Amino acid sequence: MRSTAPKDPMHTHYDAQVNALQGGRFKDPFSFLGVHSYKSSYEIRVFLPAAQSVSISINDKKIAAKRYNNSDLFIACVTEAPCAPYMCEATYSDSTLCFFDEYSFESSLDKDAMYLFNEGSLEHAYKHLGAHFVSQQGIEGVRFCVWAPNAASVSVIGEFNFWQANRHFMRFHPASGVWELFIAELKADTCYKFSIVTQSGEVLEKADPFAFKMQQAPGTASVLQQTTPAIKLSDSALKNRQKRNHIDAPVSIYEVHLGSWQRAEGNRYLSYNELADKLIAYTLEMGFTHIQLMPISEYPFDGSWGYQPVGLFAPSSRFGDYASFKYFIEQCHKANLGVLLDWVPGHFPSDPHGLHHFDGTHLFEHADVRQGFHPDWNTYIYNYDRPEVKSFLISNAMYWLEQFGLDGLRVDAVASMLYLDYSRKEGEWVANCYGGRENLGAIECLKQVNLRSYKNNPGIMMVAEESTAWPGVTQSVEHNGLGFGYKWNMGWMNDSLHYMQHDPLYRQHHHHEMTFSMVYAFSENYILPLSHDEVVHGKGSLIEKMPGDEWQKFANLRSYYAFMWAHPGKKLLFMGSEIAQRKEWDHNHSIDWHLLEHKSHTGIQNTVQALNNIYKTHPALYELDSSPAGFEWIDNNNNEQSIFSFVRYAKNAHDFVVVIANFTPVSYRNYELGVPSAGKYKVILNTDEDSFFGSGVEVTANAQGVISAKKRNAHGFAHTINISIGGLTTIYLQRVEDE
C-alpha cells in the first residue's frame, strides 16, 4: 500500500513533473529522471508505476528510495553521483524486478548521421533509427530511435513494460527531431511500439518505421529482431551478378507471389526454407535466369499482395524470420539465380499503426490531399520534397540491396510518382513551382536512389514499371535521365495482348499492333512483361484470353510466347502462366499444378522451358536487345496472312536467328522467305511440335530439319528459303553452314 504521508514541502515543485509522468506525457525525461544534483548532494529519481518499494544499487550497496508523496516517483539521496549505469530493484505485489535505470545511460545518437538524415542524404538510416541490439557503456540492450519532430512526448511501449506509456519516456533531440532511449537486457522477438502524444494531446500508438520484423494481422506491433551481418558476396558472386544483369545478357524473369506459388498441406504457406528448396529448383529447371518477388516488405492485408506495405524494412514473417529470408537469398546466390524484389516507394496505406499522421502531423505524406492522397488506391503519397523522407526511402533501397545482396529492385508505379496530375481531373492537383505537372521531388528522389544503388552495388539492375512515354527513364542521371537500368515495356504488352485476343480472321486489321513496338523498341532498355497485373481483376488468365477452340487456344499461346522471346527486350512471365493456368490468379490459393496431368498444359510448360534454353544459348536473341543493329524485319507487311518474319542478330553479325510467326490457323507449304545469307538453315524451335502438344506439321523435307537457301531475291534479301509452317505457329531458324 502506498504511503499517505503528508507532502514534503521541500519537493512540492515536483508535482507538475509527476502529473506529466503519470499522464504519459513528458518531453524531456532526462532533465528530471536519473541522477540530478540537489542542494549539496544528489538525487536519483525513478518513476515506476505500481511499484511498492524501490532501492538503488551502487557499488554493491543498496540505497532505499523514498516515495514522493502518493505518487509513483521514488527518490534516493546520495552524496556522490554514480559514474556508471546503476541497477534498480523494484518490488511489486507479485514480483521483484532488477534492471538498469534507463535514465542512467548517455545518449549514443550519431549527430553526424542525423545531420545527413535531416539533409536527405543518409544512405543507411536503418543503422541509426529503429530498434538495435547494441552495447552501451558495457551493458547489452536495445537502442530505440524514432523520428517524430512534432510530437509532445514519445514513449517506448511493449511486452516488457505491459504497454504502459508512462514507463519508458524517450529523450528528444531538437536538432534532428529524433527521440532516443536505451533499454538494457531486452530479448529478441519481444513486441514493441511507440506511444506518441501529439501537440493536441491525442495519443497515437505507432509501429516502428524502421522495424526489421512485425507481427502478423491482427497484431500491429513491431518485433525486436536480432539481425546478422550483411550478406557478403564473394568476388565470383559479384562477377556473376554483373554478368547476369548486364544489358547484353539473357534475362528471363519468373515473377512470383510467395504466398500462392505453392501451398503446403492444409493450405499453409511454404516457409522461406521450403521455398529455397522447391522454388529455386523449379525456376532453374524451367530455365529462368531470375526470380522477381512481389513485395515482401511487411503488409497487413493479404489482398494488397504487398503493394500497401507498413513495414518497409521487415521481410514478411508470413514465411519465416529474418534469418530464413536471408537463407533463401543465399541459396539463390549459390544457384547463380538472380533475385529482384518489388519495391513500393510510391504510396503507403492508411492503417492507424503506420506512417500516416505519424506524430500528429503530415510527417511522411503531403498535407495537401491533392498531393498526398491516391484516390485510385486509397493510400497516401510520400512527401518527396521532405529531406528526411528522402533519406527514409534511399536507405530502404540500400537496405534490401546491401543487406541481402539482391540483384536489384523493380520500382512499382513509377508513373504515379512522376506526375502530379496522375489519375486526377482538372482542379484536383497542384502544379509544381514552374507551373508544370512533373513531381520534381519524386524525380530527384528516384534519381538519388538509382545513383546510390548503382554506386554502392555494382552489377545490379534497377527496373522501372513506368507506363507512360516519360523520356530517358533508362538514361543516366548525368544525361538528364532517371537512371534506371531497365523499363517495363507496357506498350508492347498492351498492344500484343490486344492483338492476340482478336479472332485470327480479324487480326489482319490489327497488324500494326504487333509491329508498332519496333518504332520505339530501342528508345529505352526494355523488359517485356506478362505480369500478375494481366491475370487479375476480371482480365482472365492468358490462356483464356486466347481465341478459338481448345487446341487453338494453346497453339495461340505457344506461338505468342515464342514471338515474345524473340522480340527485342528482356523477358518476364508471371507464375502459373508457364503452365497455362486456367483461372485468374488468386492470392489465397496455390497455382493449379494438377493441370500438368493434361498434355496441353505440359506442352505449354515444355514450350517455356525450351524457349528459355534456346534464348540463353543463342546470343542473337539477347546481345543487342537495345540496339537497332540487333533487329531487322524480313516482312512486316503481310497482314493478309498475319505472318511476321524478322531476323535477330548477335554482336557477331554472322550469328543470327530467323523468326517466323504465323498467327492464323492456316498452314502453308513451301512458304518463301528472304534470308540474310546463303547457307543451310536449321530449325531450332517449332511451337507446332508434338512435344508441345502441336499438330506436328513437318517444317522441312528432311528429318534433320535443315533447309538450304537459294540464290533468289525476296523481301529485300538476295537469298530465300522455302519452309512449311503450321497454323498458329512460331519457328526459329539458325544458319548452321555456309555453302
Side-chain angles (χ1 to χ4, degrees), residues 465-623:
E465 187 217 5
E466 204 285 308
S467 56
T468 73
W470 186 279
V473 172
T474 59
Q475 291 294 314
S476 67
V477 173
E478 291 82 358
H479 290 87
N480 204 34
L482 293 181
F484 285 95
Y486 295 95
K487 171 183 173 175
W488 276 19
N489 193 335
M490 310 294 281
W492 171 87
M493 179 271 297
N494 286 318
D495 288 345
S496 63
L497 277 178
H498 189 257
Y499 176 88
M500 292 304 300
Q501 291 177 79
H502 287 296
D503 186 292
L505 181 64
Y506 302 109
R507 285 176 177 167
Q508 61 181 312
H509 305 299
H510 300 272
H511 201 72
H512 67 283
E513 291 181 345
M514 292 294 262
T515 61
F516 180 67
S517 59
M518 293 313 304
V519 173
Y520 61 87
F522 310 112
S523 60
E524 303 275 8
N525 302 328
Y526 281 116
I527 291 175
L528 310 182
L530 291 176
S531 73
H532 67 277
D533 279 328
E534 311 320 313
V535 293
V536 289
H537 301 321
K539 296 178 183 177
S541 65
L542 292 184
I543 189 65
E544 295 302 339
K545 295 180 195 292
M546 301 296 116
D549 60 25
E550 189 74 354
W551 185 89
Q552 288 179 347
K553 284 180 179 290
F554 284 88
N556 268 302
L557 190 59
R558 292 193 304 270
S559 187
Y560 177 49
Y561 281 167
F563 179 85
M564 169 184 173
W565 256 254
H567 190 287
K570 311 309 180 185
K571 325 301 174 189
L572 179 142
L573 189 66
F574 182 56
M575 65 179 200
S577 298
E578 83 280 10
I579 66 166
Q581 172 93 3
R582 291 278 192 179
K583 297 183 297 187
E584 280 195 344
W585 169 55
D586 181 354
H587 68 274
N588 281 321
H589 297 93
S590 167
I591 292 171
D592 290 334
W593 295 106
H594 65 272
L595 292 174
L596 292 175
E597 298 170 4
H598 305 282
K599 290 182 179 180
S600 53
H601 293 274
T602 304
I604 294 291
Q605 187 183 50
N606 290 343
T607 302
V608 173
Q609 186 180 50
L611 285 169
N612 276 329
N613 291 334
I614 291 168
Y615 172 63
K616 291 187 297 184
T617 54
H618 289 78
L621 295 174
Y622 61 80
E623 275 191 345

Side-chain angles (χ1 to χ4, degrees), residues 31 81 122 137 177 205 217 273 350 403 440 458 465 541 553 676 679 692 716:
S31 68
L122 183 61
Q137 292 165 257
E205 292 188 357
N273 287 358
S350 58
Q403 290 298 115
L440 302 179
E465 187 217 5
S541 65
K553 284 180 179 290
F692 302 143

Side-chain angles (χ1 to χ4, degrees), residues 359-377:
D359 64 356
T361 67
H362 297 283
L363 192 61
F364 285 88
E365 73 274 13
H366 274 281
D368 191 326
V369 69
R370 296 172 297 174
Q371 293 176 278
F373 187 75
H374 264 310
D376 288 355
W377 304 316

Side-chain angles (χ1 to χ4, degrees), residues 8 26 55 59 171 175 178 211 232 246 303 333 335 364 382 417-418 428 470 505 508 522 608 618 670 708 722:
D8 180 350
F26 205 95
S55 61
N59 298 326
R171 173 195 275 119
V178 169
K232 179 70 173 177
H246 199 268
H333 290 163
F364 285 88
Y382 289 102
M417 300 173 63
L418 296 176
E428 294 179 351
W470 186 279
L505 181 64
Q508 61 181 312
F522 310 112
V608 173
H618 289 78
N670 295 315
S708 294
N722 287 85

Side-chain angles (χ1 to χ4, degrees), residues 36 279 315 454 481-482 520 551 639 644:
H36 294 274
L279 176 58
Y454 278 109
L482 293 181
Y520 61 87
W551 185 89
N639 63 302
F644 303 85

